[in-house]
Amino acid sequence: MTTPVLTPEERRNIESGSWFSKLSPALRHDIISRTIIRRYPDGIQIGTRGAPATDWVAVASGAVRASSVSMSGKQITLTYVEPGTWFGDISLFDGLPHTHDATTHGPTTLLIVRKHDFFDLLSRHAELSEALLRLNCRRLRLMFASFEDLNTRPLSARLAKQVLHLSRSYGISHGEEIRIGLQLAQEDLAQLVGASRQRVNQELKGFEREGAVRVEPTRLVVLSREKLMAIAER
């Protein structure tokens, strides 16, 4: 059986990740040497709420949908983990079960570091502990910023910020347009900003009238980042 290898694009996604790229060359090399490459089709559950943590994971391509289930049994999208992002370290650190379900969104390539290798890396590299501490501080700051936006900013601003984020993470440039490569139904987008699908649909129509975006089936196309940024600051 042929051992999977990263494509040039997948390797670029990992090496250019905002956290990973700041590590020393020796640590980056040691982490990559411990990884197992796994490729999954769309819709494969790779983590289950309440299950014990076994892996530290990075997204090399595609996306991982982190979700929860409401009291009524409805699946709620919390975030999409984008290429270049590492996750799973929190449950490995505290020894508690996973807090959310994790499912591949579209064809997805993951780098997996097994639990024993994760702790061996920590024992060999003091730098890794400090880097993960900084990473989790950033996650906490982003979480508080998200709570603040949810409670203080109008839906139009929150939605514009979310679309801008998606365009940075999954944008494919076509001339002056940026097509968001991640397929999202409006219901998924609504869950990301804490609103109903109907209200998000109304706001997107407003964005279209202002020439900021074009709405296509399961796709968004950014026509003007400047106009979206102006809406996000209102």
Side-chain angles (χ1 to χ4, degrees):
M1 182 180 294
T2 303
T3 303
V5 296
L6 294 177
T7 67
E9 181 181 2
E10 290 168 344
R11 182 168 289 278
R12 281 195 300 272
N13 287 339
I14 293 296
E15 292 179 348
S16 65
S18 60
W19 177 78
F20 189 78
S21 63
K22 293 181 176 65
L23 303 178
S24 68
L27 177 53
R28 294 200 305 268
H29 177 271
D30 209 0
I31 290 173
I32 293 298
S33 70
R34 307 295 185 98
T35 60
I36 301 167
I37 300 170
R38 291 285 184 267
R39 289 191 166 86
Y40 298 97
D42 176 56
I44 300 299
Q45 189 163 334
I46 60 167
T48 304
R49 179 172 182 163
T54 59
D55 304 316
W56 184 38
V57 183
V59 180
S61 66
V64 172
R65 177 178 181 259
S67 63
S68 186
V69 179
S70 69
M71 295 291 288
S72 63
K74 181 180 179 182
Q75 197 80 10
I76 303 296
T77 300
L78 301 172
T79 191
Y80 288 91
V81 184
E82 63 197 53
T85 302
W86 294 76
F87 66 98
D89 49 284
I90 292 176
S91 290
L92 290 177
F93 272 130
D94 65 17
L96 297 177
H98 290 303
T99 54
H100 305 101
D101 294 328
T103 308
T104 57
H105 188 81
T108 299
T109 300
L110 302 178
L111 297 185
I112 297 171
V113 178
R114 299 301 188 195
K115 182 177 181 178
H116 65 275
D117 282 320
F118 174 76
F119 284 107
D120 189 52
L121 285 166
L122 286 172
S123 69
R124 292 172 181 270
H125 298 275
E127 175 194 354
L128 180 57
S129 297
E130 296 172 3
L132 286 170
L133 178 60
R134 289 193 298 272
L135 176 62
N136 282 300
C137 288
R138 174 166 172 74
R139 288 170 177 161
L140 191 59
R141 288 178 183 275
L142 290 173
M143 183 182 70
F144 280 124
S146 178
F147 288 159
E148 182 178 5
D149 282 351
L150 188 60
N151 286 284
T152 63
R153 300 189 69 79
L155 174 58
S156 59
R158 302 201 310 272
L159 183 58
K161 287 181 69 173
Q162 184 64 58
V163 174
L164 284 167
H165 172 72
L166 292 171
S167 73
R168 287 191 295 269
S169 301
Y170 299 98
I172 303 168
S173 296
H174 292 275
E176 295 184 357
E177 298 181 353
I178 302 173
R179 181 179 297 272
I180 296 174
L182 190 69
Q183 290 192 9
L184 287 180
Q186 287 191 16
E187 178 66 27
D188 296 321
L189 193 55
Q191 291 173 7
L192 291 175
V193 295
S196 68
R197 184 192 63 78
Q198 292 81 1
R199 288 195 63 203
V200 164
N201 179 263
Q202 291 172 358
E203 294 293 346
L204 287 175
K205 287 179 178 177
F207 290 3
E208 281 192 299
R209 287 192 296 271
E210 293 191 44
V213 303
R214 183 173 69 249
V215 180
E216 299 178 353
T218 71
R219 284 281 196 272
L220 281 176
V221 179
V222 176
L223 303 178
S224 172
R225 285 179 54 84
E226 291 73 19
K227 290 180 179 179
L228 271 181
M229 291 172 66
I231 295 170
E233 293 302 319
R234 288 176 185 169

